[in-house]
């Protein structure tokens, strides 16, 4: 049965190969001071930086820059950007890049005018925002996180070895996001497929929970089938516009809050993966792929009917003559084959994890209660060992 909920997604999306044409119109809605946030240089190489600067100039904006936003943005970087945002009284933060830039922009948006240490307030104490929020806009260049249309902002603290996501409310969602699939063409294959798995895992995190006949589960099965289909095409030909645009759109729907409405969710792969990320600084999607098979095989017996449904509806397993366990296991086997086929990292050793880190990684993985099995610390260690 669907639970009670309210649904509103305030982000305006501009989708398609001409979507950057809408940036000027959006910029015109805000004051003159813009903080441009971008990563390690991919947008300069691709020419997107020059295009965006030209549009900003045309709109007569004073532009302040924070460059070098790293994958898995750090708390030190956050403090640096907050100072610039506050000193220059910025009216809009414009993120041009992947999920890290979009997440980072949201973190700056709520932290610049925060009276306390934002790491402690938002990430350790998980408190709501009660200060001025600077509006955020995004031009997305990497597909996967869904950050372009949600309130998530993940920050890493290397000193305490914690990578934590705060899911902020609708007032922190980007005001607008520009999604041009062609801007993702320059992504290295490693990043591209890591993003594909991030999408699949966002969906499975929300799918493998609850027993009800939930509309969201049917939507998610469709999204997963479309993703699996298009990912195979994109891996063969990264310039296939149809495949890349479908995947971009699936990524947004996978984590723009809609499919989670009225149902419970799991998120345990992300909790373990994020802790792996805190120790290794590895690419987000790969931290998820590397622990997923051990996790899903571990919880399968506790959610057998759903794993059977997943095998049949998503992976086209023929149920005839097989037990429920066999059907479910075949579904996971097909999932693993697809993961290997598209080139994902399938073990955490490859990401830099060593045996002496396992206890610490398990300690840093927050235990969620919405999945089919509430894990103990020892079970997380076991899953990590199996993922080596
Ligand atoms: O920094 P640059 O030079 O731009 O290079 C980036 C970066 O090295 C590169 N890249 C991005 N677009 C490119 C490109 N290179 C060439 N051409 C392009 N078009 O790709 C690398 C990775 O970028 P990043 O933004 O870090 O990747 P992603 O989009 O996967 O974001 C990862 C971050 O998002 C968080 C993750 O934890 C991680 O910190 N997440 C945010 C979520 C949310 N807001 O809801 C949910 C996710 O589960 C995730 O946790
Ligand atoms: Zn993710």
């Amino acid at each position: 049965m669907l639970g009670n909920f309210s649904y509103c997604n305030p982000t305006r999306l501009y989708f398609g190969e001409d979507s950057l044409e809408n940036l000027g119109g959006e910029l015109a809605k805000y004051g003159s001071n813009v903080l441009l946030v971008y990563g390690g240089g991919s947008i300069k190489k691709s020419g997107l930086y020059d295009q965006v600067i030209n549009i900003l100039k045309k709109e007569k904006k004073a532009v302040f820059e924070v460059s070098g936003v790293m994958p898995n943005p750090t708390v030190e970087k956050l403090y640096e950007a907050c100072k610039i945002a506050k000193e220059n009284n910025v009216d809009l933060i414009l993120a041009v890049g992947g999920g890290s830039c979009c997440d980072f922009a949201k973190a700056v948006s709520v932290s610049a005018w925060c009276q306390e240490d934002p790491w402690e307030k938002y990430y350790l104490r998980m408190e709501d925002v009660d200060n001025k929020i600077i509006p955020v806009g995004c031009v997305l260049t990497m597909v996967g996180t869904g950050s372009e249309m949600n309130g998530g902002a993940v920050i890493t603290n290397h000193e305490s070895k914690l990578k934590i996501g705060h899911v902020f409310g609708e007032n922190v969602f980007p005001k607008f996001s520009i999604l041009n699939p062609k801007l993702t063409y320059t992504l290295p294959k490693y990043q591209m497929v890591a993003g594909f798995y991030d999408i699949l895992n966002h969906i499975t995190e929300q799918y493998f929970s609850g027993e009800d006949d939930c509309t969201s589960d049917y939507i998610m099965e469709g999204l997963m089938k479309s993703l699996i289909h298009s990912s195979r095409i994109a891996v063969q030909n990264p310039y296939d516009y149809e495949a890349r645009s479908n995947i971009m759109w699936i990524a947004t729907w996978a984590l723009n809050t809609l499919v989670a409405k009225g149902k419970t969710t799991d998120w345990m792969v992300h909790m373990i993966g994020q802790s792996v990320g805190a120790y290794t600084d590895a690419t987000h999607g790969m931290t998820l792929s590397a622990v997923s098979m051990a996790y899903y095989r571990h919880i399968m017996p506790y959610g057998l009917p759903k794993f059977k449904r997943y095998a049949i509806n998503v992976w086209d397993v023929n149920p005839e003559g097989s037990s429920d366990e066999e059907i479910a296991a075949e579904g996971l086997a097909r999932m693993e084959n697809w993961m290997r086929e598209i080139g994902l990292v399938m073990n955490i050793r490859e990401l830099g994890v060593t045996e002496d880190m396992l206890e610490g990684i398990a300690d840093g993985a927050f235990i969620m209660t919405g999945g089919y099995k509430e894990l103990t610390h020892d079970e997380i260690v076991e899953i990590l060992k199996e993922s080596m």
Side-chain angles (χ1 to χ4, degrees):
M1 196 183 72
L2 279 180
N4 300 326
F5 62 86
S6 95
Y7 177 67
C8 164
N9 194 313
T11 305
R12 174 169 296 281
L13 294 182
Y14 295 99
F15 193 96
E17 54 185 309
D18 301 325
S19 51
L20 195 62
E21 288 172 7
N22 300 288
L23 179 58
E26 281 296 334
L27 291 174
K29 297 178 186 170
Y30 301 91
S32 60
N33 293 359
V34 176
L35 183 69
L36 178 63
V37 164
Y38 58 99
S42 73
I43 68 161
K44 289 210 166 157
K45 235 168 139 184
S46 68
L48 178 60
Y49 173 84
D50 290 337
Q51 280 177 282
V52 169
I53 287 288
N54 284 339
I55 297 167
L56 284 160
K57 273 191 192 155
K58 222 169 139 193
E59 294 299 321
K60 302 193 169 34
K61 302 294 180 185
V63 182
F64 306 91
E65 294 195 11
V66 173
S67 62
V69 176
M70 58 292 277
N72 312 319
T74 64
V75 68
E76 289 80 14
K77 192 74 185 169
L78 174 63
Y79 297 145
E80 177 196 321
C82 285
K83 197 162 170 275
I84 300 171
K86 197 174 171 184
E87 277 174 6
N88 297 290
N89 200 8
V90 305
D91 301 299
L92 175 76
I93 305 172
L94 181 63
V96 184
S100 292
C101 288
C102 301
D103 273 28
F104 185 75
K106 285 178 253 175
V108 177
S109 137
V110 297
S111 302
W113 295 98
C114 180
Q115 303 291 328
E116 307 161 62
D117 178 352
W119 171 256
E120 290 191 9
K121 180 179 169 70
Y122 299 131
Y123 293 92
L124 296 182
R125 300 203 304 273
M126 286 289 165
E127 288 176 14
D128 287 337
V129 192
D130 51 14
N131 50 258
K132 178 174 152 181
I133 298 169
I134 305 170
V136 168
C138 303
V139 179
L140 193 67
T141 65
M142 151 123 195
V143 167
T145 63
S147 188
E148 65 275 14
M149 205 183 191
N150 69 34
V154 184
I155 295 292
T156 298
N157 186 325
H158 286 297
E159 201 182 58
S160 52
K161 288 201 161 40
L162 288 173
K163 180 176 177 183
I164 302 176
H166 188 126
V167 181
F168 292 99
E170 286 144 22
N171 47 356
V172 184
F173 283 35
K175 299 291 176 224
F176 64 90
S177 284
I178 290 175
L179 275 58
N180 175 354
K182 287 194 171 169
L183 294 179
T184 69
Y185 282 0
T186 50
L187 269 174
K189 187 183 173 210
Y190 188 88
Q191 294 295 339
M192 178 183 81
V193 298
F196 293 174
Y197 189 69
D198 195 20
I199 304 168
L200 186 90
N201 194 245
H202 291 160
I203 303 172
T204 52
E205 297 274 31
Q206 298 170 95
Y207 182 79
F208 287 120
S209 178
E211 312 281 341
D212 303 331
D213 184 27
C214 174
T215 299
S216 285
D217 289 335
Y218 294 90
I219 298 173
M220 288 191 271
E221 285 164 356
L223 292 173
M224 287 191 275
K225 288 201 84 147
S226 178
L227 172 68
I228 294 158
H229 172 76
S230 292
S231 68
R232 288 186 160 127
I233 297 169
V235 164
Q236 292 304 317
N237 177 14
Y239 305 110
D240 188 301
Y241 184 81
E242 188 169 42
R244 295 301 288 271
S245 57
N246 280 332
I247 294 169
M248 192 170 218
W249 195 214
I250 298 163
T252 303
W253 282 102
L255 200 54
N256 70 356
T257 76
L258 177 94
V259 297
K261 291 298 174 187
K263 79 182 291 291
T264 55
T265 55
D266 179 356
W267 293 107
M268 213 45 228
V269 170
H270 268 67
M271 294 305 110
I272 302 172
Q274 278 177 200
S275 195
V276 169
Y279 274 74
T280 60
D281 210 24
T283 296
H284 171 66
M286 297 306 190
T287 64
L288 308 175
S289 59
V291 301
S292 278
M293 292 321 302
Y295 175 72
Y296 286 122
R297 289 195 167 112
H298 185 84
I299 63 159
M300 189 187 89
Y302 304 95
L304 193 57
K306 196 60 162 287
F307 278 90
K308 178 185 170 189
R309 176 177 165 169
Y310 178 64
I312 297 168
N313 291 358
V314 179
W315 295 100
D316 300 324
V317 174
N318 178 356
E320 261 169 61
S322 302
S323 68
D324 288 357
E325 284 81 3
E326 285 165 347
I327 297 164
E330 177 58 20
L332 290 182
R334 290 189 189 189
M335 173 182 173
E336 181 173 353
N337 286 343
W338 168 77
M339 291 168 76
R340 292 188 187 281
E341 178 191 327
I342 67 169
L344 296 167
V345 175
M346 301 300 285
N347 66 79
I348 51 178
R349 198 180 293 279
E350 211 176 300
L351 300 176
V353 174
T354 49
E355 265 80 11
D356 57 312
M357 294 179 188
L358 299 185
E359 283 289 333
I361 293 173
D363 284 338
F366 297 93
I367 293 172
M368 309 297 277
T369 56
Y372 289 123
K373 168 78 176 71
E374 187 175 333
L375 297 184
T376 62
H377 174 91
D378 289 352
E379 283 177 293
I380 298 177
V381 173
E382 205 45 52
I383 287 164
L384 289 167
K385 280 186 184 158
E386 280 168 29
S387 305
M388 288 293 275

